[in-house]
Amino acid sequence: MSDARSAILGKLRASRDAHPITPPPSDTTVLSEKRWAPEERLPRIRRLMEAVHTEFLDATEADWPAVVREFLAREGATTLLYAPATPDGKTLAAHSSPLPPREREGTHGGSRGEGEGLSEHGSGTTPDSPSPFPPLRGGPLPSPGAGEGVQLIPYDRPIEAFKEQLFEGIDAGITSTLGAIAETGSLILWPSAAEPRLLSLVPHIHVALLRAGTLHDTFWQAMRDNRWAEGMPTNALLISGPSKTADIEQTLAYGVHGPKRLIVVVIS
Protein backbone atom coordinates (compact mmCIF):
# COMPACT_ATOMS: atom_id res chain seq x y z
CA MET A 1 0.00 0.00 0.00
CA SER A 2 1.40 3.44 -0.95
CA ASP A 3 2.24 6.02 1.71
CA ALA A 4 -0.36 8.44 0.32
CA ARG A 5 -3.11 5.83 0.46
CA SER A 6 -2.13 4.82 3.98
CA ALA A 7 -2.24 8.45 5.09
CA ILE A 8 -5.70 9.01 3.60
CA LEU A 9 -7.14 5.85 5.14
CA GLY A 10 -5.53 6.71 8.47
CA LYS A 11 -7.24 10.11 8.53
CA LEU A 12 -10.60 8.57 7.63
CA ARG A 13 -10.34 5.95 10.38
CA ALA A 14 -9.28 8.55 12.94
CA SER A 15 -12.27 10.73 12.06
CA ARG A 16 -14.60 7.76 12.27
CA ASP A 17 -13.29 6.69 15.67
CA ALA A 18 -13.46 10.25 17.02
CA HIS A 19 -17.15 10.56 16.16
CA PRO A 20 -18.74 7.14 16.72
CA ILE A 21 -22.33 6.72 15.59
CA THR A 22 -24.74 4.50 17.48
CA PRO A 23 -27.33 3.04 15.10
CA PRO A 24 -30.93 3.26 16.27
CA PRO A 25 -32.47 0.01 17.53
CA SER A 26 -34.43 -1.95 14.95
CA ASP A 27 -38.18 -1.98 15.40
CA THR A 28 -39.52 -5.33 14.21
CA THR A 29 -42.93 -4.96 15.83
CA VAL A 30 -44.74 -4.81 12.50
CA LEU A 31 -43.12 -8.12 11.51
CA SER A 32 -43.43 -9.97 14.80
CA GLU A 33 -47.10 -9.03 15.25
CA LYS A 34 -48.23 -9.86 11.72
CA ARG A 35 -50.05 -13.13 12.22
CA TRP A 36 -52.85 -15.31 10.98
CA ALA A 37 -54.86 -17.75 13.04
CA PRO A 38 -53.35 -21.26 12.86
CA GLU A 39 -56.39 -22.59 11.01
CA GLU A 40 -56.07 -19.83 8.38
CA ARG A 41 -52.41 -20.37 7.43
CA LEU A 42 -52.70 -23.46 5.25
CA PRO A 43 -55.84 -22.32 3.36
CA ARG A 44 -54.12 -18.98 2.65
CA ILE A 45 -50.94 -20.70 1.42
CA ARG A 46 -52.95 -23.00 -0.84
CA ARG A 47 -55.02 -20.14 -2.23
CA LEU A 48 -51.99 -17.99 -3.04
CA MET A 49 -50.00 -20.86 -4.56
CA GLU A 50 -52.90 -22.27 -6.58
CA ALA A 51 -53.32 -18.79 -8.08
CA VAL A 52 -49.89 -19.29 -9.75
CA HIS A 53 -50.64 -22.87 -10.90
CA THR A 54 -49.30 -24.90 -7.97
CA GLU A 55 -51.04 -28.23 -7.35
CA PHE A 56 -51.78 -29.82 -3.98
CA LEU A 57 -52.15 -33.35 -2.67
CA ASP A 58 -53.27 -34.33 0.83
CA ALA A 59 -51.53 -37.12 2.73
CA THR A 60 -50.46 -38.41 6.13
CA GLU A 61 -47.10 -39.52 7.47
CA ALA A 62 -48.20 -43.11 6.91
CA ASP A 63 -49.35 -42.87 3.29
CA TRP A 64 -47.49 -40.01 1.57
CA PRO A 65 -45.16 -42.37 -0.38
CA ALA A 66 -48.24 -44.11 -1.82
CA VAL A 67 -49.91 -40.77 -2.57
CA VAL A 68 -46.82 -39.60 -4.47
CA ARG A 69 -46.48 -42.89 -6.33
CA GLU A 70 -50.12 -42.98 -7.39
CA PHE A 71 -50.08 -39.38 -8.56
CA LEU A 72 -46.95 -39.84 -10.69
CA ALA A 73 -48.33 -43.07 -12.18
CA ARG A 74 -51.56 -41.29 -13.15
CA GLU A 75 -49.58 -38.49 -14.78
CA GLY A 76 -47.43 -40.91 -16.79
CA ALA A 77 -44.13 -40.20 -14.99
CA THR A 78 -41.70 -43.14 -15.13
CA THR A 79 -38.70 -41.87 -13.09
CA LEU A 80 -38.46 -40.12 -9.72
CA LEU A 81 -35.19 -38.58 -8.51
CA TYR A 82 -34.82 -38.58 -4.72
CA ALA A 83 -32.27 -38.01 -1.95
CA PRO A 84 -31.58 -41.46 -0.42
CA ALA A 85 -29.65 -40.14 2.62
CA THR A 86 -32.47 -37.94 3.93
CA PRO A 87 -35.20 -39.19 6.29
CA ASP A 88 -37.85 -38.69 3.62
CA GLY A 89 -35.70 -40.45 1.05
CA LYS A 90 -35.28 -43.45 3.32
CA THR A 91 -39.02 -43.55 3.95
CA LEU A 92 -39.74 -43.40 0.22
CA ALA A 93 -37.31 -46.23 -0.55
CA ALA A 94 -38.72 -48.35 2.29
CA HIS A 95 -42.23 -48.06 0.84
CA SER A 96 -41.29 -48.92 -2.74
CA SER A 97 -43.12 -52.25 -2.76
CA PRO A 98 -46.56 -52.54 -4.38
CA LEU A 99 -49.59 -51.53 -2.36
CA PRO A 100 -53.24 -52.48 -2.89
CA PRO A 101 -55.33 -50.29 -5.23
CA ARG A 102 -56.97 -47.33 -3.52
CA GLU A 103 -58.78 -44.13 -4.29
CA ARG A 104 -57.25 -40.76 -3.45
CA GLU A 105 -58.66 -37.25 -3.55
CA GLY A 106 -57.17 -33.82 -2.99
CA THR A 107 -55.45 -32.92 -6.28
CA HIS A 108 -55.82 -29.30 -7.34
CA GLY A 109 -54.97 -28.22 -10.88
CA GLY A 110 -51.95 -26.16 -11.85
CA SER A 111 -48.16 -25.77 -12.52
CA ARG A 112 -44.98 -23.56 -10.85
CA GLY A 113 -42.54 -20.41 -10.30
CA GLU A 114 -38.86 -20.76 -9.54
CA GLY A 115 -36.27 -18.78 -11.37
CA GLU A 116 -33.04 -19.90 -9.71
CA GLY A 117 -30.17 -21.07 -11.87
CA LEU A 118 -28.36 -24.37 -11.82
CA SER A 119 -25.28 -25.28 -9.82
CA GLU A 120 -22.60 -27.91 -10.18
CA HIS A 121 -21.93 -30.20 -7.23
CA GLY A 122 -18.28 -30.78 -6.55
CA SER A 123 -16.57 -34.09 -7.03
CA GLY A 124 -13.10 -35.48 -7.25
CA THR A 125 -13.73 -37.26 -10.52
CA THR A 126 -13.63 -36.28 -14.16
CA PRO A 127 -15.88 -37.56 -16.95
CA ASP A 128 -13.09 -39.96 -18.01
CA SER A 129 -12.30 -41.33 -14.55
CA PRO A 130 -14.26 -44.09 -12.83
CA SER A 131 -16.96 -42.87 -10.45
CA PRO A 132 -16.50 -43.74 -6.76
CA PHE A 133 -20.26 -44.19 -6.52
CA PRO A 134 -22.12 -47.41 -7.36
CA PRO A 135 -23.96 -47.68 -10.68
CA LEU A 136 -27.38 -46.08 -10.93
CA ARG A 137 -29.94 -48.26 -9.31
CA GLY A 138 -33.68 -47.96 -9.02
CA GLY A 139 -36.49 -49.78 -7.30
CA PRO A 140 -39.82 -50.13 -9.09
CA LEU A 141 -42.76 -48.21 -7.67
CA PRO A 142 -45.64 -50.01 -9.41
CA SER A 143 -48.82 -48.10 -9.98
CA PRO A 144 -51.74 -49.78 -8.21
CA GLY A 145 -53.83 -51.54 -10.78
CA ALA A 146 -51.52 -50.64 -13.66
CA GLY A 147 -48.73 -52.41 -15.46
CA GLU A 148 -46.34 -49.48 -15.55
CA GLY A 149 -44.23 -48.34 -12.61
CA VAL A 150 -42.21 -45.36 -11.43
CA GLN A 151 -38.50 -46.03 -11.01
CA LEU A 152 -36.69 -44.52 -8.05
CA ILE A 153 -33.41 -42.86 -9.06
CA PRO A 154 -31.14 -41.93 -6.12
CA TYR A 155 -29.17 -38.68 -6.27
CA ASP A 156 -26.09 -40.12 -4.56
CA ARG A 157 -23.27 -39.22 -6.97
CA PRO A 158 -21.69 -36.11 -8.51
CA ILE A 159 -23.63 -34.54 -11.34
CA GLU A 160 -20.85 -35.44 -13.80
CA ALA A 161 -21.60 -39.12 -13.23
CA PHE A 162 -25.15 -38.96 -14.60
CA LYS A 163 -25.61 -35.50 -16.15
CA GLU A 164 -27.21 -36.82 -19.35
CA GLN A 165 -29.77 -38.88 -17.49
CA LEU A 166 -30.45 -36.05 -15.04
CA PHE A 167 -31.28 -33.55 -17.77
CA GLU A 168 -32.90 -35.89 -20.29
CA GLY A 169 -34.19 -38.96 -18.48
CA ILE A 170 -35.80 -37.80 -15.21
CA ASP A 171 -39.51 -37.00 -15.08
CA ALA A 172 -39.87 -35.88 -11.45
CA GLY A 173 -37.82 -34.94 -8.41
CA ILE A 174 -38.93 -35.00 -4.78
CA THR A 175 -37.64 -32.81 -1.94
CA SER A 176 -38.45 -31.93 1.63
CA THR A 177 -39.22 -28.36 2.68
CA LEU A 178 -38.39 -26.28 5.71
CA GLY A 179 -41.98 -25.07 5.80
CA ALA A 180 -44.13 -22.47 4.07
CA ILE A 181 -44.95 -18.77 4.51
CA ALA A 182 -48.57 -17.64 4.84
CA GLU A 183 -47.92 -14.00 3.94
CA THR A 184 -46.52 -14.73 0.48
CA GLY A 185 -47.64 -18.30 -0.24
CA SER A 186 -44.09 -19.64 -0.57
CA LEU A 187 -42.30 -22.89 0.20
CA ILE A 188 -38.91 -22.79 1.93
CA LEU A 189 -36.31 -25.19 0.51
CA TRP A 190 -33.03 -25.76 2.35
CA PRO A 191 -30.66 -27.52 -0.10
CA SER A 192 -27.79 -29.54 1.33
CA ALA A 193 -25.12 -32.00 0.20
CA ALA A 194 -27.62 -34.80 0.92
CA GLU A 195 -30.44 -33.06 -0.96
CA PRO A 196 -28.92 -30.89 -3.74
CA ARG A 197 -31.01 -28.09 -5.20
CA LEU A 198 -30.91 -29.66 -8.68
CA LEU A 199 -33.55 -32.07 -7.35
CA SER A 200 -36.05 -29.20 -7.44
CA LEU A 201 -34.70 -27.35 -10.47
CA VAL A 202 -34.11 -29.86 -13.26
CA PRO A 203 -36.99 -32.42 -13.44
CA HIS A 204 -40.20 -31.41 -15.22
CA ILE A 205 -42.23 -32.15 -12.08
CA HIS A 206 -41.12 -31.03 -8.61
CA VAL A 207 -42.83 -32.84 -5.74
CA ALA A 208 -42.38 -30.97 -2.44
CA LEU A 209 -43.27 -32.44 0.94
CA LEU A 210 -44.82 -29.89 3.31
CA ARG A 211 -45.57 -30.78 6.92
CA ALA A 212 -48.69 -29.01 8.15
CA GLY A 213 -46.93 -28.18 11.42
CA THR A 214 -44.16 -26.13 9.72
CA LEU A 215 -46.16 -23.12 8.59
CA HIS A 216 -44.96 -19.58 9.32
CA ASP A 217 -46.80 -16.27 9.15
CA THR A 218 -43.99 -14.22 7.57
CA PHE A 219 -40.54 -14.69 6.09
CA TRP A 220 -39.07 -12.79 9.05
CA GLN A 221 -40.67 -15.20 11.50
CA ALA A 222 -39.40 -18.19 9.52
CA MET A 223 -35.84 -16.84 9.69
CA ARG A 224 -36.18 -16.14 13.41
CA ASP A 225 -37.84 -19.44 14.36
CA ASN A 226 -35.31 -21.51 12.38
CA ARG A 227 -32.35 -19.40 13.57
CA TRP A 228 -31.05 -18.60 10.11
CA ALA A 229 -28.52 -16.15 11.55
CA GLU A 230 -26.57 -19.11 12.96
CA GLY A 231 -25.92 -20.65 9.56
CA MET A 232 -27.39 -20.91 6.08
CA PRO A 233 -26.83 -23.10 3.02
CA THR A 234 -25.25 -21.72 -0.13
CA ASN A 235 -28.76 -21.23 -1.50
CA ALA A 236 -32.02 -21.04 0.42
CA LEU A 237 -34.97 -21.16 -1.98
CA LEU A 238 -38.41 -19.58 -1.75
CA ILE A 239 -40.81 -21.17 -4.27
CA SER A 240 -44.40 -20.23 -4.97
CA GLY A 241 -45.22 -22.01 -8.22
CA PRO A 242 -43.88 -23.62 -11.40
CA SER A 243 -41.08 -22.02 -13.38
CA LYS A 244 -42.44 -19.37 -15.71
CA THR A 245 -41.21 -16.51 -17.85
CA ALA A 246 -42.64 -14.10 -20.41
CA ASP A 247 -41.19 -12.40 -23.49
CA ILE A 248 -41.56 -8.72 -24.36
CA GLU A 249 -45.11 -9.39 -25.56
CA GLN A 250 -45.94 -10.99 -22.18
CA THR A 251 -46.51 -14.46 -23.65
CA LEU A 252 -46.23 -16.70 -20.58
CA ALA A 253 -44.25 -19.93 -20.86
CA TYR A 254 -43.75 -22.57 -18.17
CA GLY A 255 -40.71 -24.74 -17.52
CA VAL A 256 -38.09 -22.55 -19.21
CA HIS A 257 -35.93 -22.07 -16.11
CA GLY A 258 -37.10 -25.01 -14.02
CA PRO A 259 -39.99 -27.45 -13.49
CA LYS A 260 -43.23 -27.07 -15.42
CA ARG A 261 -45.24 -28.34 -12.46
CA LEU A 262 -45.02 -27.94 -8.70
CA ILE A 263 -46.86 -30.55 -6.64
CA VAL A 264 -47.10 -29.81 -2.90
CA VAL A 265 -47.90 -32.83 -0.74
CA VAL A 266 -49.39 -31.52 2.50
CA ILE A 267 -48.62 -34.07 5.22
CA SER A 268 -50.90 -33.84 8.26
Side-chain angles (χ1 to χ4, degrees):
M1 184 181 297
S2 66
D3 293 340
R5 183 180 181 187
S6 298
I8 293 172
L9 292 177
K11 289 180 180 180
L12 292 174
R13 295 189 182 104
S15 176
R16 176 200 63 190
D17 297 339
H19 305 282
I21 298 177
T22 303
S26 299
D27 183 4
T28 59
T29 303
V30 67
L31 297 174
S32 62
E33 294 184 354
K34 190 169 189 178
R35 297 184 179 278
W36 284 266
E39 65 273 13
E40 295 177 0
R41 291 178 189 139
L42 183 57
R44 177 182 173 85
I45 290 169
R46 294 178 79 141
R47 184 173 67 254
L48 291 174
M49 296 186 72
E50 286 175 345
V52 291
H53 291 194
T54 297
E55 303 166 66
F56 281 83
L57 299 172
D58 298 311
T60 66
E61 287 290 354
D63 72 358
W64 71 258
V67 171
V68 171
R69 179 185 69 200
E70 294 169 11
F71 169 80
L72 293 176
R74 287 197 305 269
E75 299 302 309
T78 60
T79 49
L80 176 63
L81 188 67
Y82 79 109
T86 64
D88 288 331
K90 293 176 182 178
T91 299
L92 182 65
H95 290 77
S96 61
S97 58
L99 294 179
R102 31 180 285 163
E103 295 292 330
R104 289 293 306 179
E105 296 181 354
T107 305
H108 302 264
S111 275
R112 172 212 190 111
E114 20 185 344
E116 296 81 12
L118 305 181
S119 66
E120 298 288 334
H121 297 277
S123 71
T125 63
T126 65
D128 296 325
S129 63
S131 171
F133 295 91
L136 281 175
R137 60 187 183 279
L141 287 175
S143 171
E148 299 181 3
V150 179
Q151 185 182 31
L152 281 180
I153 305 295
Y155 197 144
D156 60 357
R157 68 212 71 245
I159 183 176
E160 291 82 2
F162 73 127
K163 182 183 295 186
E164 183 176 354
Q165 183 181 27
L166 174 62
F167 284 91
E168 299 181 9
I170 300 295
D171 296 322
I174 186 169
T175 70
S176 61
T177 67
L178 202 62
I181 302 170
E183 182 180 25
T184 57
S186 305
L187 299 178
I188 305 171
L189 265 65
W190 200 260
S192 65
E195 190 175 78
R197 69 173 182 158
L198 290 185
L199 274 165
S200 69
L201 290 173
V202 175
H204 295 299
I205 301 173
H206 174 203
V207 179
L209 304 177
L210 173 63
R211 264 74 185 186
T214 60
L215 309 182
H216 305 278
D217 293 303
T218 65
F219 182 40
W220 180 85
Q221 291 166 13
M223 291 190 293
R224 180 200 60 189
D225 296 346
N226 290 288
R227 306 170 75 171
W228 285 28
E230 297 180 9
M232 292 180 60
T234 304
N235 294 279
L237 309 178
L238 299 181
I239 301 173
S240 296
S243 170
K244 59 183 179 292
T245 189
D247 58 21
I248 195 170
E249 296 181 351
Q250 296 300 297
T251 301
L252 192 61
Y254 289 92
V256 176
H257 303 298
K260 294 182 178 179
R261 302 176 69 180
L262 170 62
I263 315 299
V264 178
V265 181
V266 180
I267 301 175
S268 59

